[in-house]
Amino acid sequence: MSPNRSMSTLLSRLMLAAGLLASVGAALAADAPAAPIAASAVASPAKKALIQKVLTLQQPGIEAIARALVEQPVAPMVQQVSMIIQTRVPPEKREALQKDLQGDLKKYMDAALPLVRDKAVAAAPSTIGSQLDQKFSEEELRQLVTWLESPVARKYQFTLPEFQKALTDKLVADTRTAIEPKLRDLDSVIGKRLAAVAPPANPAAPAPAGTPAKP
């Protein structure tokens, strides 16, 4: 992995992370404690209270979306690094290198996850909350918060991907400029660590431009 590797692949993976969102539907009904999320300002008082209840129930899933977006572009890095460690790093240096890389990954997650998670929570009312306000009546929302096996629950599951896409699109747009430098820094740090302990993959690579060739 080169320290100068283009970030376009990682950003495209970030955009494609929306494909993971279909799997978090079950998490939206989790009972884990969560701070309330403000409901849409355009709703009537009664409907606003119902929307706020739905968003509060959804917060574990909203945070799962944020985690998926943060972790997705790192996954191919980890896979590639693991392969390089096993094939190119001397055995006696692997354990120390792995500990250093784990620290680098933790540093990235500690910096990126709260940022994206906060953006996800902040964007929920204007994306999911707005969709709930537009597509569900007060009575439907009243049924929805109970999570009963009912036609309204099936309707919600049917429209859930649309909610998630709206949130994901806004979240990617809002965090792209902040996350791209962090991914670039992580890629650079990993590349430097590997270069310090692993031999080049192709020792016979051409010399950089401007370097005179040997006679």
Side-chain angles (χ1 to χ4, degrees):
M1 181 184 303
S2 168
N4 296 320
R5 189 179 65 174
S6 170
M7 298 303 295
S8 60
T9 300
L10 296 178
L11 290 174
S12 65
R13 290 181 184 276
L14 185 63
M15 295 294 291
L16 290 174
L20 297 176
L21 303 184
S23 64
V24 304
L28 300 182
D31 293 328
I37 304 176
S40 172
V42 301
S44 66
K47 199 171 186 182
K48 182 176 180 179
L50 291 170
I51 292 173
Q52 179 174 330
K53 178 65 174 178
V54 173
L55 292 176
T56 299
L57 290 171
Q58 286 183 320
Q59 185 160 338
I62 291 170
E63 294 181 355
I65 291 172
R67 176 172 288 275
L69 287 172
V70 173
E71 291 179 346
Q72 174 70 5
V74 177
M77 272 192 200
V78 174
Q79 184 177 9
Q80 184 176 2
V81 168
S82 297
M83 184 179 302
I84 293 173
I85 289 175
Q86 294 301 316
T87 59
R88 293 169 50 192
V89 177
E92 66 275 11
K93 295 183 179 180
R94 290 175 186 171
E95 183 176 356
L97 176 59
Q98 287 172 340
K99 288 182 179 179
D100 287 339
L101 294 175
Q102 287 172 359
D104 296 331
L105 289 169
K106 183 179 185 303
K107 183 177 179 180
Y108 163 75
M109 291 297 297
D110 289 347
L113 181 56
L115 187 155
V116 179
R117 184 180 60 221
D118 291 349
K119 288 289 187 179
V121 172
S126 63
T127 53
I128 297 176
S130 177
Q131 293 282 345
L132 288 170
D133 186 25
Q134 294 174 20
K135 298 181 183 297
F136 287 78
S137 68
E138 288 187 22
E139 178 58 28
E140 288 175 331
L141 288 169
R142 195 171 290 112
Q143 295 178 56
L144 180 59
V145 298
T146 65
W147 284 97
L148 295 176
E149 293 294 332
S150 64
V152 70
R154 291 193 293 271
K155 177 179 179 179
Y156 178 71
Q157 291 300 322
F158 178 79
T159 53
L160 183 58
E162 184 178 345
F163 300 167
Q164 293 171 335
K165 183 180 185 303
L167 173 61
T168 301
D169 290 347
K170 182 171 179 57
L171 187 55
V172 170
D174 287 351
T175 61
R176 178 190 297 272
T177 56
I179 296 302
E180 181 178 358
K182 297 181 188 302
L183 286 171
R184 186 181 297 113
D185 290 344
L186 176 62
D187 193 37
S188 177
V189 168
I190 291 175
K192 289 176 181 178
R193 290 193 187 281
L194 292 174
V197 298
N202 182 11
T211 300
K214 293 183 179 181

Coordinates of all heavy atoms in Angstrom, one line a residue, residues 83-140:
M83 N -2.7 -9.3 4.6 CA -2.1 -10.1 3.6 C -0.6 -9.7 3.5 O 0.3 -10.6 3.4 CB -2.8 -9.9 2.2 CG -2.2 -10.8 1.1 SD -3.1 -10.6 -0.4 CE -4.8 -11.0 0.1
I84 N -0.3 -8.4 3.5 CA 1.1 -8.0 3.4 C 1.9 -8.5 4.6 O 3.1 -8.9 4.5 CB 1.2 -6.5 3.3 CG1 0.6 -6.0 1.9 CG2 2.6 -6.0 3.4 CD1 0.4 -4.5 1.8
I85 N 1.3 -8.4 5.8 CA 2.0 -8.8 7.0 C 2.4 -10.3 6.9 O 3.5 -10.7 7.3 CB 1.2 -8.5 8.2 CG1 1.1 -7.0 8.5 CG2 1.8 -9.2 9.5 CD1 0.2 -6.6 9.6
Q86 N 1.5 -11.1 6.4 CA 1.7 -12.5 6.4 C 2.7 -12.9 5.3 O 3.4 -13.9 5.4 CB 0.4 -13.3 6.2 CG -0.6 -13.1 7.3 CD 0.0 -13.7 8.6 OE1 0.6 -14.7 8.7 NE2 -0.2 -12.9 9.7
T87 N 2.8 -12.1 4.3 CA 3.6 -12.5 3.1 C 5.0 -11.8 3.0 O 5.9 -12.3 2.4 CB 2.9 -12.4 1.8 OG1 2.5 -11.0 1.7 CG2 1.6 -13.2 1.8
R88 N 5.1 -10.6 3.6 CA 6.2 -9.7 3.3 C 7.0 -9.3 4.6 O 8.1 -8.8 4.5 CB 5.8 -8.5 2.5 CG 5.4 -8.9 1.1 CD 4.8 -7.7 0.4 NE 5.6 -6.5 0.4 CZ 5.1 -5.3 0.1 NH1 3.9 -5.1 -0.3 NH2 5.9 -4.2 0.2
V89 N 6.3 -9.4 5.7 CA 6.9 -8.9 7.0 C 7.6 -10.0 7.7 O 7.0 -11.1 7.9 CB 5.9 -8.2 7.9 CG1 6.5 -7.8 9.2 CG2 5.3 -7.0 7.2
P90 N 8.9 -9.9 8.1 CA 9.6 -11.0 8.8 C 8.8 -11.3 10.1 O 8.2 -10.5 10.8 CB 10.9 -10.3 9.2 CG 11.1 -9.3 8.2 CD 9.8 -8.7 7.9
P91 N 8.7 -12.6 10.4 CA 7.9 -13.1 11.5 C 8.2 -12.4 12.8 O 7.3 -12.1 13.6 CB 8.2 -14.6 11.6 CG 8.6 -15.0 10.2 CD 9.3 -13.8 9.7
E92 N 9.5 -12.1 13.1 CA 9.8 -11.5 14.4 C 9.3 -10.0 14.5 O 9.4 -9.5 15.6 CB 11.3 -11.5 14.6 CG 12.1 -10.7 13.6 CD 12.5 -11.4 12.3 OE1 11.9 -12.5 12.0 OE2 13.3 -10.9 11.5
K93 N 8.9 -9.4 13.4 CA 8.5 -8.0 13.4 C 6.9 -7.9 13.4 O 6.4 -6.8 13.5 CB 9.1 -7.3 12.3 CG 10.6 -7.1 12.4 CD 11.1 -6.3 11.2 CE 12.7 -6.1 11.4 NZ 13.2 -5.3 10.3
R94 N 6.2 -9.0 13.2 CA 4.8 -8.9 12.9 C 4.0 -8.5 14.2 O 3.1 -7.6 14.0 CB 4.3 -10.3 12.5 CG 4.8 -10.7 11.1 CD 4.3 -12.1 10.7 NE 4.9 -12.5 9.4 CZ 4.8 -13.7 8.9 NH1 4.2 -14.7 9.6 NH2 5.4 -14.0 7.8
E95 N 4.3 -9.0 15.3 CA 3.5 -8.7 16.5 C 3.6 -7.2 16.8 O 2.6 -6.6 17.1 CB 4.0 -9.5 17.7 CG 3.2 -9.3 19.0 CD 3.6 -10.2 20.1 OE1 4.5 -11.0 19.9 OE2 3.0 -10.0 21.2
A96 N 4.8 -6.6 16.8 CA 5.0 -5.2 17.1 C 4.3 -4.4 16.1 O 3.6 -3.4 16.4 CB 6.4 -4.8 17.2
L97 N 4.4 -4.7 14.8 CA 3.7 -4.0 13.7 C 2.2 -4.0 13.9 O 1.5 -3.0 13.7 CB 4.1 -4.5 12.4 CG 3.4 -3.9 11.2 CD1 3.7 -2.4 11.1 CD2 3.9 -4.6 9.9
Q98 N 1.7 -5.2 14.2 CA 0.2 -5.3 14.4 C -0.3 -4.5 15.5 O -1.4 -3.9 15.4 CB -0.1 -6.8 14.6 CG 0.0 -7.7 13.4 CD -0.2 -9.2 13.6 OE1 0.0 -9.6 14.8 NE2 -0.5 -9.9 12.6
K99 N 0.5 -4.4 16.6 CA 0.1 -3.6 17.7 C 0.1 -2.1 17.3 O -0.8 -1.3 17.7 CB 1.0 -3.8 18.9 CG 0.8 -5.1 19.6 CD 1.8 -5.2 20.8 CE 1.6 -6.5 21.6 NZ 2.5 -6.7 22.7
D100 N 1.1 -1.7 16.6 CA 1.1 -0.3 16.1 C -0.1 0.0 15.2 O -0.7 1.1 15.3 CB 2.4 0.0 15.3 CG 3.6 0.1 16.3 OD1 3.4 0.3 17.5 OD2 4.8 -0.1 15.8
L101 N -0.4 -0.9 14.3 CA -1.5 -0.7 13.3 C -2.8 -0.7 14.1 O -3.7 0.1 13.7 CB -1.5 -1.8 12.3 CG -0.3 -1.8 11.3 CD1 -0.3 -3.0 10.4 CD2 -0.2 -0.5 10.5
Q102 N -3.0 -1.5 15.1 CA -4.2 -1.5 15.9 C -4.4 -0.1 16.5 O -5.5 0.4 16.6 CB -4.2 -2.6 16.9 CG -4.4 -4.0 16.3 CD -4.1 -5.1 17.3 OE1 -3.8 -4.9 18.5 NE2 -4.3 -6.3 16.9
G103 N -3.3 0.4 17.0 CA -3.3 1.8 17.6 C -3.7 2.8 16.6 O -4.5 3.7 16.9
D104 N -3.2 2.7 15.4 CA -3.6 3.6 14.3 C -5.0 3.5 14.0 O -5.7 4.6 13.8 CB -2.7 3.4 13.1 CG -1.2 3.6 13.3 OD1 -0.9 4.4 14.1 OD2 -0.4 2.9 12.6
L105 N -5.6 2.3 13.9 CA -7.0 2.1 13.6 C -7.9 2.7 14.7 O -8.9 3.3 14.4 CB -7.3 0.6 13.3 CG -6.7 0.1 12.0 CD1 -6.8 -1.5 12.0 CD2 -7.4 0.6 10.8
K106 N -7.5 2.4 15.9 CA -8.2 2.9 17.0 C -8.3 4.5 17.0 O -9.3 5.1 17.3 CB -7.7 2.4 18.4 CG -8.5 2.8 19.6 CD -7.9 2.3 20.9 CE -8.8 2.6 22.0 NZ -9.0 4.0 22.2
K107 N -7.1 5.1 16.7 CA -7.1 6.5 16.7 C -8.0 7.1 15.6 O -8.7 8.1 15.8 CB -5.7 7.0 16.4 CG -5.5 8.5 16.4 CD -4.0 8.8 16.1 CE -3.8 10.3 16.1 NZ -2.4 10.7 15.8
Y108 N -8.1 6.4 14.5 CA -9.0 6.8 13.4 C -10.4 6.7 13.8 O -11.3 7.6 13.7 CB -8.7 6.0 12.1 CG -9.9 6.0 11.1 CD1 -10.1 7.2 10.4 CD2 -10.8 4.9 11.0 CE1 -11.2 7.2 9.5 CE2 -11.8 5.0 10.1 CZ -12.0 6.1 9.4 OH -13.1 6.2 8.5
M109 N -10.8 5.5 14.4 CA -12.2 5.3 14.9 C -12.6 6.3 15.9 O -13.7 6.8 15.9 CB -12.3 3.8 15.4 CG -12.2 2.8 14.3 SD -13.5 2.9 13.0 CE -15.0 2.6 14.0
D110 N -11.7 6.5 16.9 CA -12.0 7.4 18.0 C -12.3 8.9 17.5 O -13.0 9.6 18.0 CB -10.9 7.5 19.0 CG -10.8 6.2 19.8 OD1 -11.7 5.4 19.8 OD2 -9.7 6.0 20.5
A111 N -11.6 9.2 16.4 CA -11.8 10.6 15.8 C -13.0 10.6 14.8 O -13.7 11.6 14.9 CB -10.5 11.0 15.1
A112 N -13.1 9.6 14.0 CA -14.2 9.6 13.0 C -15.6 9.2 13.5 O -16.5 9.8 13.0 CB -13.7 8.7 11.8
L113 N -15.6 8.2 14.3 CA -17.0 7.7 14.7 C -17.8 8.7 15.4 O -19.0 8.9 15.0 CB -16.8 6.4 15.5 CG -18.1 5.8 16.0 CD1 -19.0 5.5 14.8 CD2 -17.9 4.5 16.8
P114 N -17.3 9.4 16.4 CA -18.2 10.5 17.1 C -18.6 11.5 16.1 O -19.8 12.0 16.2 CB -17.3 11.0 18.2 CG -16.3 10.0 18.4 CD -16.0 9.3 17.1
L115 N -17.8 11.9 15.2 CA -18.1 13.0 14.2 C -19.3 12.5 13.3 O -20.3 13.2 13.2 CB -16.9 13.3 13.4 CG -17.0 14.5 12.4 CD1 -15.6 15.0 12.1 CD2 -17.6 14.1 11.1
V116 N -19.2 11.3 12.8 CA -20.2 10.8 11.9 C -21.5 10.5 12.7 O -22.6 10.8 12.2 CB -19.7 9.6 11.1 CG1 -20.8 9.1 10.2 CG2 -18.5 10.0 10.3
R117 N -21.3 9.9 13.9 CA -22.5 9.6 14.7 C -23.3 10.8 15.1 O -24.5 10.8 15.0 CB -22.0 8.9 16.0 CG -23.2 8.4 16.8 CD -22.7 7.7 18.1 NE -21.8 8.6 18.8 CZ -20.7 8.2 19.4 NH1 -20.2 7.0 19.3 NH2 -20.0 9.1 20.1
D118 N -22.6 11.9 15.4 CA -23.3 13.1 15.8 C -24.0 13.7 14.6 O -25.1 14.3 14.7 CB -22.3 14.2 16.4 CG -21.8 13.7 17.7 OD1 -22.3 12.8 18.3 OD2 -20.8 14.4 18.2
K119 N -23.4 13.7 13.4 CA -24.0 14.1 12.2 C -25.2 13.3 11.9 O -26.3 13.8 11.4 CB -23.0 14.1 11.0 CG -21.9 15.1 11.1 CD -22.4 16.5 10.8 CE -21.3 17.5 10.7 NZ -21.8 18.9 10.4
A120 N -25.2 12.0 12.1 CA -26.3 11.1 11.8 C -27.5 11.5 12.7 O -28.6 11.6 12.3 CB -25.9 9.7 12.0
V121 N -27.2 11.7 14.0 CA -28.3 12.0 15.0 C -28.9 13.4 14.6 O -30.1 13.5 14.6 CB -27.7 12.0 16.4 CG1 -28.7 12.6 17.4 CG2 -27.3 10.6 16.8
A122 N -28.0 14.3 14.2 CA -28.5 15.7 13.9 C -29.3 15.6 12.6 O -30.2 16.5 12.4 CB -27.3 16.6 13.8
A123 N -29.0 14.8 11.7 CA -29.7 14.7 10.4 C -31.0 13.9 10.4 O -31.8 14.0 9.5 CB -28.7 14.1 9.3
A124 N -31.1 13.1 11.4 CA -32.3 12.2 11.5 C -33.6 13.0 11.4 O -34.5 12.5 10.7 CB -32.2 11.3 12.8
P125 N -33.8 14.1 12.2 CA -35.1 14.7 12.1 C -35.5 15.3 10.7 O -36.7 15.2 10.3 CB -35.0 15.9 13.1 CG -33.9 15.4 14.1 CD -33.0 14.6 13.2
S126 N -34.5 15.8 10.0 CA -34.8 16.4 8.7 C -34.9 15.3 7.6 O -35.2 15.6 6.5 CB -33.7 17.4 8.3 OG -32.5 16.8 8.2
T127 N -34.5 14.1 7.9 CA -34.5 13.0 6.9 C -35.6 12.0 7.3 O -36.7 12.0 6.7 CB -33.2 12.3 6.7 OG1 -32.7 11.9 8.0 CG2 -32.1 13.3 6.1
I128 N -35.3 11.2 8.2 CA -36.3 10.2 8.7 C -37.5 10.9 9.3 O -38.7 10.5 9.0 CB -35.7 9.2 9.7 CG1 -34.5 8.4 9.1 CG2 -36.7 8.3 10.3 CD1 -33.8 7.5 10.0
G129 N -37.3 11.9 10.1 CA -38.5 12.5 10.7 C -39.4 13.2 9.7 O -40.6 13.1 9.8
S130 N -38.8 13.8 8.7 CA -39.5 14.5 7.7 C -40.4 13.5 6.9 O -41.5 13.7 6.5 CB -38.6 15.3 6.7 OG -39.3 15.8 5.7
Q131 N -39.7 12.3 6.6 CA -40.4 11.3 5.8 C -41.6 10.7 6.6 O -42.7 10.4 6.1 CB -39.4 10.2 5.5 CG -38.4 10.5 4.5 CD -38.9 10.6 3.1 OE1 -39.9 10.1 2.8 NE2 -38.1 11.2 2.2
L132 N -41.4 10.5 7.9 CA -42.4 10.0 8.8 C -43.6 11.0 8.8 O -44.8 10.6 8.8 CB -41.9 9.8 10.2 CG -41.0 8.6 10.4 CD1 -40.4 8.6 11.8 CD2 -41.8 7.3 10.2
D133 N -43.3 12.3 8.9 CA -44.3 13.3 8.9 C -45.1 13.3 7.6 O -46.4 13.5 7.7 CB -43.6 14.7 9.1 CG -44.6 15.8 9.3 OD1 -45.8 15.5 9.8 OD2 -44.3 17.0 9.0
Q134 N -44.4 13.1 6.5 CA -45.1 13.2 5.2 C -45.9 11.9 4.9 O -47.0 12.0 4.3 CB -44.1 13.4 4.1 CG -43.4 14.7 4.1 CD -42.3 14.8 3.1 OE1 -42.3 14.1 2.1 NE2 -41.3 15.7 3.3
K135 N -45.4 10.7 5.3 CA -46.0 9.5 4.9 C -46.9 8.8 5.9 O -47.6 7.8 5.5 CB -44.8 8.5 4.4 CG -44.0 9.1 3.3 CD -42.9 8.1 2.9 CE -42.0 8.7 1.8 NZ -42.8 8.9 0.5
F136 N -46.8 9.2 7.1 CA -47.6 8.5 8.2 C -48.5 9.4 8.9 O -48.2 10.6 9.2 CB -46.7 7.8 9.2 CG -46.0 6.6 8.6 CD1 -44.9 6.7 7.8 CD2 -46.4 5.3 9.0 CE1 -44.2 5.6 7.3 CE2 -45.8 4.2 8.5 CZ -44.7 4.3 7.7
S137 N -49.7 9.0 9.2 CA -50.7 9.7 9.9 C -50.4 9.6 11.4 O -49.6 8.7 11.8 CB -52.1 9.3 9.7 OG -52.3 7.9 10.2
E138 N -51.0 10.4 12.3 CA -50.8 10.3 13.7 C -51.2 8.9 14.2 O -50.5 8.3 15.0 CB -51.6 11.4 14.4 CG -51.1 12.8 14.3 CD -51.8 13.8 15.1 OE1 -52.4 13.4 16.1 OE2 -51.7 15.0 14.8
E139 N -52.3 8.4 13.7 CA -52.7 7.0 14.1 C -51.7 6.0 13.7 O -51.4 5.0 14.5 CB -54.1 6.7 13.6 CG -54.7 5.3 13.9 CD -54.7 5.1 15.4 OE1 -54.9 6.1 16.2 OE2 -54.6 4.0 15.9
E140 N -51.2 6.1 12.5 CA -50.2 5.1 12.0 C -49.0 5.2 12.9 O -48.4 4.2 13.3 CB -49.9 5.4 10.6 CG -51.0 4.9 9.6 CD -50.7 5.3 8.2 OE1 -50.0 6.3 8.0 OE2 -51.2 4.6 7.3

